[in-house]
């Protein structure tokens, strides 16, 4: 359990997307204290100093696997800021490998790798990585599945994109956007009747007006 004395450091962690979930899942006072300084440097633009801080954590034999994995994710963000997405992906994967598959962070780190691949337009690799992340971490499964579908669509793998968008139609959270993307996919494929039928599903997603 995190103590009140760590609230300020926790807010620092929460300010950076890459470690937002990590601060809560790894409920470890030492983790928050160790990581606060390099994260602060990272947020302030002091990339070199932040990188040195994360490396110091990794070199500490007492850091533990969780701390080391989060430090690896920090180094991955440093690599992205330096314009080195390949190193970032590799570091995120290493962080995931250090994390038990039963820990939600295992999939979260992979989703970060997938996001980096997607931004680098390596869509096929991104799609596979998103699906692996979805399998490992149910809490991000819908978002990861949607991004996998988007990645496949960008490679013109229409069949796979259609399959994944369709799998999201039963989801309350993702249904509307899945319908829109599926309809657009059918239009691109000149399957106009399918597109029209799909768009009509939107009306079924709306709540009936109160009596």
């Amino acid at each position: 359990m995190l103590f009140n004395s760590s609230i300020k450091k926790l807010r620092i962690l929460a300010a950076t997307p890459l470690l937002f979930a990590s601060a809560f899942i790894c409920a470890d006072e030492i983790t928050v204290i160790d990581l606060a300084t390099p994260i602060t440097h990272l947020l302030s633009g002091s990339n070199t100093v932040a990188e040195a801080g994360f490396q110091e954590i990794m070199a500490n034999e007492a850091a533990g696997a969780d701390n080391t994995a989060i430090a690896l994710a920090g180094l991955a963000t440093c690599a992205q800021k330096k314009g080195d997405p390949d190193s970032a992906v590799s570091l995120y994967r290493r962080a995931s490998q250090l994390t038990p598959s039963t820990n939600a962070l295992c999939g979260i780190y992979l989703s970060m790798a997938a996001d980096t691949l997607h931004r680098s337009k390596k869509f096929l690799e991104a799609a596979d990585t998103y699906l692996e992340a979805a399998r490992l971490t149910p809490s991000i499964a819908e978002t990861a599945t949607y991004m996998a579908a988007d990645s496949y669509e960008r490679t013109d793998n229409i069949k796979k994109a259609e399959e994944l968008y369709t799998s999201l139609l039963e989801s309350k959270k993702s249904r509307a956007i899945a319908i829109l993307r599926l309809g657009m996919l059918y239009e691109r494929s000149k399957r106009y009747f399918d597109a029209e039928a799909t768009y009509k599903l939107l009306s079924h997603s709306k709540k009936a007006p109160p009596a």
Side-chain angles (χ1 to χ4, degrees):
M1 181 176 181
L2 295 171
F3 299 97
N4 290 335
S5 61
S6 295
I7 294 299
K8 184 176 181 180
K9 297 182 183 71
L10 201 57
R11 286 173 179 163
I12 293 172
L13 289 173
T16 178
L18 101 90
L19 293 175
F20 178 73
S22 307
F24 293 93
I25 296 172
C26 297
D28 181 351
E29 177 79 359
I30 296 175
T31 297
V32 177
I33 293 173
D34 285 346
L35 290 167
T37 299
I39 289 174
T40 300
H41 287 305
L42 188 62
L43 292 174
S44 66
S46 302
N47 203 59
T48 302
V49 181
E51 189 172 5
F54 289 127
Q55 291 282 13
E56 185 177 345
I57 292 169
M58 290 182 58
N60 186 346
E61 293 182 0
D66 287 344
N67 287 8
T68 301
I70 298 172
L72 282 166
L75 287 172
T77 297
C78 291
Q80 289 193 67
K81 287 179 175 289
K82 292 192 298 185
D84 188 359
D86 290 342
S87 292
V89 170
S90 177
L91 288 163
Y92 283 134
R93 288 190 182 281
R94 285 175 61 192
S96 179
Q97 289 165 1
L98 273 179
T99 308
S101 60
T102 53
N103 187 326
L105 282 176
C106 185
I108 290 172
Y109 291 138
L110 281 179
S111 73
M112 293 174 181
D115 287 341
T116 305
L117 290 164
H118 191 278
R119 286 192 294 270
S120 300
K121 299 183 178 181
K122 296 182 178 180
F123 297 119
L124 282 176
E125 190 176 353
D128 290 341
T129 307
Y130 278 126
L131 290 178
E132 187 178 359
R135 179 180 61 81
L136 288 167
T137 306
S139 62
I140 63 168
E142 288 186 25
T143 300
T145 299
Y146 172 81
M147 289 303 300
D150 176 86
S151 300
Y152 279 125
E153 185 177 355
R154 291 171 187 268
T155 64
D156 291 325
N157 189 335
I158 305 302
K159 182 177 180 180
K160 192 65 178 177
E162 177 185 5
E163 175 187 323
L164 292 175
Y165 285 136
T166 300
S167 74
L168 294 171
L169 294 181
E170 299 303 316
S171 163
K172 291 182 179 180
K173 182 173 72 174
S174 305
R175 178 177 170 81
I177 187 64
I179 290 171
L180 287 171
R181 291 299 297 269
L182 189 58
M184 293 167 65
L185 186 71
Y186 288 145
E187 285 192 74
R188 280 186 55 206
S189 305
K190 298 183 179 180
R191 293 166 58 181
Y192 300 117
F193 289 110
D194 287 334
E196 182 179 2
T198 300
Y199 288 136
K200 286 181 178 178
L201 293 175
L202 281 173
S203 62
H204 300 153
S205 299
K206 297 177 181 178
K207 294 182 178 179

